[in-house]
Amino acid sequence: MTGSALRVRWLGRLPYAEAWDLQKAFWEGRVQGRSADDYLLLLEHPHTYTVGRNGDGSNLLIGEGELAAIDATIHHVDRGGDITYHGPGQLVGYPIYAVPKLPNGFDMVGHVRRIEQALIAALGDLGVAAWPEEGLTGVWTERGKIAAIGVRVARGVSMHGFALNVSPDLGYFGKIVPCGISDRPVTSLAEILDRSVSIEEAVAAIVPHFATVFGLTKTEAQYGAFARGAAREPYAVDAMVAAGVFSGSNSNGVPLAINGVLPGEPARPDWMRIRADISSDGYRELRRLMRSKELNTVCEEAGCPNIYECWSQGTGTLMLLGDKCTRACAFCDVQTGRPGEVDFEEPQRAAEAVAAMGLRHAVLTSVNRDDLDDGGAGIFAETINQIRSLVPDCDVEVLIPDFKGDVVALETVMLAKPAVLNHNTETVLRLQREIRTAANYGRSLALLARAKWINPACTVKSGLIVGMGETEEEIMSTLADMRAVGVDLVTIGQYLRPTARHRPVDRYVHPDEFARYAAEGERLGLSHVEAGPLVRSSYHAQESLDSALR
């Protein structure tokens, strides 16, 4: 193995364009030395056709204009091979791997053969006899081709990979000449075994064989949620939504807390004691200013534990686009509901508030506005411009939602040139579906990478909340992922349950563990990790930026 570890990530379903950019980000991290590790990214795609370097599009049997009718997209990509299909029920694997070097170049052929070998061994474990075909690429069975392979190796590191048909709708292959081979059928595990086969089952079979075939001595795997069948328990956040936790209107069924502690929760330790000082002149003046400008702050809406400290010092985080969020996340106290109309005068008032506070570093965030075509990106950009006009020396940090993966919306914000682009990953891969509704770990990482590409001079930042059921190892792995895709700054803080109806606290993380996170971030090469029990996304934001830029 050329790296120190193989990091395996099951990312769930991700649109092809975002996954392609995510591959590029990990590839770039491997090539540029941000990561010393190889990755195996495992995921599904929505219905997608990809055309490799050997294809000219002629093996698509329907017009590109007809793709929308079958809910599919097409992408022309830089891998080898011709046209293939990706879709639900198909396991796609992207090894971001430092390929061995031979006297005449990198061992691309050997890389393809090793992928074939790993898939063949995994299929054998699942009860399917499979083999390579002389002169062809991929994996074959007596019923036809079961896995396509197409790769690219640049600067010694691979991209793209394999697509294993687990239980896809094979009808989508009828719209193309798969891989340009017209006389050979395509099959799937489900068709051969004549039973339901899950993606989870295929992942479990494949990962050990990849480690063996590629000669890897250490494998570190993080898996997001797999699709759940009727026999499995529902997600906790779904039950919370059904109970009206986020609506602010349902008080029935509130669990009984004794001295603020729910059954099964640990008692709050001494290091989590917060002094509430609402009498300071700074706190009262900032509150008066926000009300006079009809502005919201995330400090109030999300119940930030640092509100007294920050407001007493005259700093706060402005929350744009109203106080109603279109999502319901298990850790958050911002109310979910139907947002109001966009207030186009808000950017000007926000800039006036920043000027009145005399800030040199202003932080802007917003609720999720999935109801808007641009997710609210235009309001972010206009607010940055207004602040820069009134307070030219003030750096602006924006904490943005994911805009549902819309790269144009992200570009709108980035072209306004914020000093810091912050987007919170919130939690580890395994807990994403439990904690964040309508969000995705892979999407968040892709957004952070894209932000850096659009404006390399911008500091890119992300944040994590701990104490929600994650392990220390998972946090360390997440820090490695963030560093690999180009993140500069990370904040890590303790989860504090907003109400008795929200997700219980799993544990209170000791300050020594926070110190280990900061040390690991430094070892990985992150510019700065602000980690501590009371840390939040914008806590000590200016100091963190100054530290990162030193």
Side-chain angles (χ1 to χ4, degrees):
M1 179 181 181
T2 52
S4 60
L6 175 70
R7 298 187 183 273
V8 181
R9 301 290 182 262
W10 161 248
L11 298 169
R13 191 171 300 177
L14 194 63
Y16 188 85
E18 292 175 75
W20 192 6
D21 279 350
L22 190 58
Q23 283 188 75
K24 294 174 190 174
F26 278 109
W27 172 87
E28 180 185 85
R30 191 72 171 93
V31 166
Q32 295 183 358
R34 294 195 303 256
S35 175
D37 301 323
D38 299 312
Y39 275 83
L40 176 59
L41 307 181
L42 300 170
L43 58 153
E44 282 182 302
H45 293 305
H47 300 298
T48 306
Y49 295 104
T50 65
V51 182
R53 294 190 305 270
N54 298 339
D56 58 8
S58 61
N59 284 318
L60 176 67
L61 302 181
I62 60 175
E64 291 197 15
E66 300 175 71
L67 291 170
I70 59 171
D71 195 28
T73 59
I74 190 166
H75 298 269
H76 294 262
V77 298
D78 55 1
R79 61 163 172 78
D82 201 316
I83 192 167
T84 193
Y85 163 77
H86 300 310
Q90 183 189 73
L91 175 62
V92 179
Y94 298 126
I96 314 299
Y97 178 76
V99 176
K101 191 170 184 179
L102 301 176
N104 60 343
F106 292 101
D107 187 18
M108 182 182 293
V109 173
H111 179 62
V112 170
R113 298 298 170 242
R114 285 185 285 273
I115 293 174
E116 289 174 342
Q117 186 179 346
L119 293 175
I120 289 166
L123 288 166
D125 289 350
L126 293 168
V128 174
W131 54 84
E133 290 274 2
E134 184 70 28
L136 298 173
T137 299
V139 177
W140 304 79
T141 73
E142 62 181 7
R143 298 284 293 271
K145 190 173 187 178
I146 196 168
I149 297 173
V151 302
R152 175 175 183 257
V153 176
R155 298 176 65 181
V157 177
S158 69
M159 287 180 61
H160 303 288
F162 67 85
L164 174 66
N165 298 330
V166 179
S167 58
D169 180 350
L170 295 176
Y172 278 84
F173 286 96
K175 311 297 182 184
I176 62 174
V177 180
C179 301
I181 302 172
S182 60
D183 59 345
R184 303 291 292 272
V186 173
T187 189
S188 70
L189 270 169
E191 183 178 70
I192 293 171
L193 296 175
D194 194 25
R195 67 173 177 86
S196 175
V197 185
S198 70
I199 293 288
E200 187 173 5
E201 189 177 354
V203 168
I206 284 172
V207 170
H209 289 292
F210 256 85
T212 299
V213 169
F214 281 82
L216 308 174
T217 57
K218 181 181 177 183
T219 301
E220 178 269 308
Q222 304 293 334
Y223 296 154
F226 290 93
R228 295 196 167 190
R232 297 207 180 183
E233 293 296 321
Y235 293 106
V237 71
D238 295 331
M240 292 162 69
V241 170
V245 168
F246 307 101
S247 68
S249 61
N250 185 350
S251 60
N252 296 325
V254 178
L256 178 63
I258 301 174
N259 295 325
V261 178
L262 291 174
E265 276 190 326
R268 183 171 293 194
D270 289 341
W271 66 77
M272 291 303 306
R273 305 298 177 186
I274 302 164
R275 178 174 173 267
D277 182 9
I278 63 173
S279 63
S280 73
D281 291 341
Y283 176 90
R284 289 183 295 181
E285 177 60 23
L286 187 53
R287 185 172 182 177
R288 183 201 62 78
L289 177 63
M290 294 304 160
R291 297 297 82 78
S292 69
K293 296 293 185 183
E294 299 180 10
L295 296 171
N296 299 299
T297 70
V298 74
C299 322
E300 296 169 288
E301 297 298 333
C304 179
N306 303 311
I307 186 171
Y308 309 109
E309 175 189 350
C310 295
W311 282 30
S312 295
Q313 297 172 359
T315 63
T317 299
L318 300 180
M319 191 168 77
L320 306 173
L321 294 160
D323 61 357
K324 298 289 192 303
C325 186
T326 54
R327 301 187 189 177
C329 296
F331 61 88
C332 186
D333 200 27
V334 176
Q335 187 172 331
T336 298
R338 184 183 296 276
E341 295 295 320
V342 174
D343 180 355
F344 292 101
E345 302 301 319
E346 186 177 45
Q348 177 65 33
R349 297 198 308 276
E352 291 169 354
V354 168
M357 285 187 280
L359 296 182
R360 290 193 304 112
H361 189 102
V363 184
L364 309 174
T365 189
S366 78
V367 292
N368 278 282
R369 290 298 301 261
D370 294 329
D371 58 311
L372 302 177
D373 289 341
D374 71 347
I379 292 294
F380 270 105
E382 180 60 21
T383 307
I384 295 169
N385 293 333
Q386 291 283 355
I387 292 172
R388 188 168 290 120
S389 176
L390 279 181
V391 196
D393 295 334
C394 181
D395 287 332
V396 181
E397 175 173 330
V398 291
L399 171 57
I400 62 170
D402 62 22
F403 300 134
K404 296 191 291 188
D406 184 350
V407 70
V408 174
L410 177 62
E411 287 173 344
T412 298
V413 175
M414 295 306 297
L415 292 177
K417 299 190 181 304
V420 180
L421 185 288
N422 188 358
H423 170 71
N424 284 338
T425 311
E426 307 293 9
T427 190
V428 299
L429 177 54
R430 176 175 57 87
L431 295 178
Q432 289 284 313
R433 185 60 185 84
E434 282 285 291
I435 304 299
R436 306 168 78 197
T437 56
N440 180 291
Y441 185 83
R443 169 167 288 173
S444 290
L445 291 183
L447 179 152
L448 294 163
R450 286 168 164 176
K452 198 68 171 179
W453 294 334
I454 296 167
N455 183 2
C458 181
T459 296
V460 174
K461 178 178 176 181
S462 192
L464 295 167
I465 306 170
V466 295
M468 294 193 289
E470 75 295 324
T471 66
E472 184 170 348
E473 179 189 19
E474 287 175 316
I475 292 292
M476 300 297 193
S477 298
T478 304
L479 289 174
D481 293 353
M482 290 177 173
R483 171 60 178 157
V485 302
V487 172
D488 301 303
L489 287 175
V490 177
T491 59
I492 308 176
Q494 171 69 49
Y495 169 58
L496 296 175
R497 173 175 43 76
T499 73
R501 291 181 292 161
H502 279 77
R503 184 183 182 89
V505 174
D506 179 74
R507 65 186 178 115
Y508 287 101
V509 175
H510 193 276
D512 289 350
E513 187 172 326
F514 283 108
R516 291 195 292 273
Y517 295 146
E520 177 66 4
E522 180 179 352
R523 186 193 72 79
L524 290 166
L526 289 160
S527 299
H528 182 72
V529 176
E530 185 78 18
L534 298 182
V535 167
R536 293 296 182 267
S537 299
S538 55
Y539 187 60
H540 292 172
Q542 182 176 328
E543 294 87 344
S544 295
L545 177 59
D546 291 343
S547 177
L549 295 177
R550 281 201 293 269

